[in-house]
Amino acid sequence: MAVEHPVAAQPGDQTRIHNIGYRTYDGPRLGRSYATRSLYSQSLRGAYGLGRSVKSKVLPMLLFVVMCVPAAIMVAVAVATKANDLPLDYTRYAIVMQAVISLYIASQAPQSVSRDLRFKTVPLYFSRPIETADYVRAKYAALASALFILTAAPLIVLYVGALLAKLDFADQTKGFAQGLVSVALLSLLFAGIGLVIASVTPRRGFGIAAVIAVLTISYGAVSTLQAIAEVQDSSGAIAWIGLFSPVTLIDGVQTAFLGATSAFPGGVGPTNGEGAVYVLVTLGLIAASYGLLMRRYKKVGL
């Protein structure tokens, strides 16, 4: 019985050129600055879950509401009782709400950088015009801006409420401006520390735990040592102990130079000379955080 063999296809039948419409890009080349701005805006939006899933929006939006609700309650009390002043100073608000701020930075710092590390997408950023410094500046500025929005929004609520309650305009404006300076410095410091810790590990859960541990444990330890110093009649050591926690650093700076009431034991904050040390340490930590991020991402981008 004869077996029919299939006829081999001719080479000419397999080689066809299809025009699928690709053409070169002839639009404007926007360059590094546009790429950096885009990375900043996307990171800032991501810090509040915008452009992401509903689940990603829950925690940051909830924390934003938790930050603003006490301010709204204080305003309502001031208006209802016709008080002569707000129940809480502008500069004290962030210190009182520091636990919420720490939780926000712990949740959003790893979200900002850990996924890029985990999925090894950082070298892809650097394959474009964007450079290491651009990436670090965009991420740092985005998280600091997001934290400033979180901390400044309740101050705006307090300020608007104070004006509605017909409190003294000059005093309220001065206090509001001092509060904004305080939370701006706090945002830069906390964002830097949070990003440095989160950039060490690609695991978001580890990053969250580490940031919470650093911010919470340092504040608890410093507060305990300050209380012990007060009991032991070593009030001179209280201010120096406060240099070892981000929260007490901001407290010391605003007490020395922004007219704030200190939260230190006994209500005695640093003097102007000690306050200058607080400012130098705070600025040094911000600069060190930026430098460590630069060093970290020069290695990651290789």
Side-chain angles (χ1 to χ4, degrees):
M1 180 178 180
V3 178
E4 296 183 1
H5 296 279
V7 178
Q10 297 298 321
D13 295 334
Q14 298 178 358
T15 56
R16 296 181 181 179
I17 299 176
H18 298 275
N19 181 5
I20 57 177
Y22 288 130
R23 61 180 180 180
T24 58
Y25 175 75
D26 54 4
R29 302 287 179 176
L30 300 175
R32 281 177 59 189
S33 60
Y34 178 80
T36 304
R37 289 195 303 271
S38 298
L39 181 59
Y40 165 79
S41 63
Q42 291 299 318
S43 298
L44 178 57
R45 284 167 53 84
Y48 285 96
L50 302 178
R52 300 171 60 204
S53 65
V54 175
K55 185 174 67 173
S56 301
K57 297 179 177 67
V58 173
L59 182 58
M61 292 300 181
L62 178 62
L63 294 176
F64 183 85
V65 171
V66 170
M67 281 291 294
C68 293
V69 166
I73 294 174
M74 291 178 193
V75 166
V77 171
V79 172
T81 60
K82 298 181 180 179
N84 295 324
D85 205 351
L86 292 172
L88 191 66
D89 293 339
Y90 295 95
T91 49
R92 289 282 298 139
Y93 194 89
I95 302 300
V96 172
M97 302 295 290
Q98 57 90 16
V100 179
I101 297 171
S102 298
L103 183 58
Y104 179 84
I105 202 71
S107 63
Q108 298 309 311
Q111 184 277 136
S112 180
V113 297
S114 293
R115 289 187 301 172
D116 289 344
L117 295 170
R118 182 177 181 182
F119 297 109
K120 303 184 186 302
T121 57
V122 175
L124 296 179
Y125 285 107
F126 301 154
S127 67
R128 296 297 181 181
I130 192 172
E131 296 182 359
T132 304
D134 302 323
Y135 181 89
V136 171
R137 282 196 296 266
K139 290 292 185 178
Y140 199 152
L143 188 58
S145 299
L147 193 55
F148 181 74
I149 292 171
L150 181 79
T151 52
L155 301 187
I156 295 174
V157 173
L158 288 174
Y159 182 63
V160 172
L163 297 183
L164 292 176
K166 298 181 180 179
L167 302 182
D168 186 78
F169 176 79
D171 288 344
Q172 297 304 317
T173 302
K174 179 181 178 181
F176 177 60
Q178 291 172 334
L180 288 181
V181 173
S182 175
V183 297
L185 195 60
L186 180 148
S187 300
L188 287 171
L189 179 61
F190 277 48
I193 293 173
L195 285 175
V196 167
I197 296 172
S199 68
V200 174
T201 174
R203 297 294 181 179
R204 184 181 177 187
F206 292 163
I208 292 173
V211 174
I212 291 177
V214 169
L215 296 179
T216 304
I217 293 175
S218 64
Y219 178 69
V222 166
S223 298
T224 302
L225 291 175
Q226 287 178 325
I228 293 172
E230 184 188 23
V231 172
Q232 297 294 328
D233 294 327
S234 301
S235 57
I238 292 177
W240 299 112
I241 295 172
L243 292 170
F244 296 93
S245 166
V247 177
T248 52
L249 267 177
I250 299 299
D251 192 349
V253 170
Q254 66 182 19
T255 300
F257 299 110
L258 297 175
T261 302
S262 178
F264 290 177
V268 180
T271 62
N272 287 342
E274 294 167 340
V277 177
Y278 270 70
V279 172
L280 292 175
V281 172
T282 302
L283 296 178
L285 284 175
I286 293 172
S289 297
Y290 180 79
L292 289 173
L293 287 170
M294 286 289 295
R295 182 177 180 180
R296 168 63 171 155
Y297 281 97
K298 282 181 179 178
K299 294 181 179 180
V300 173
L302 295 177

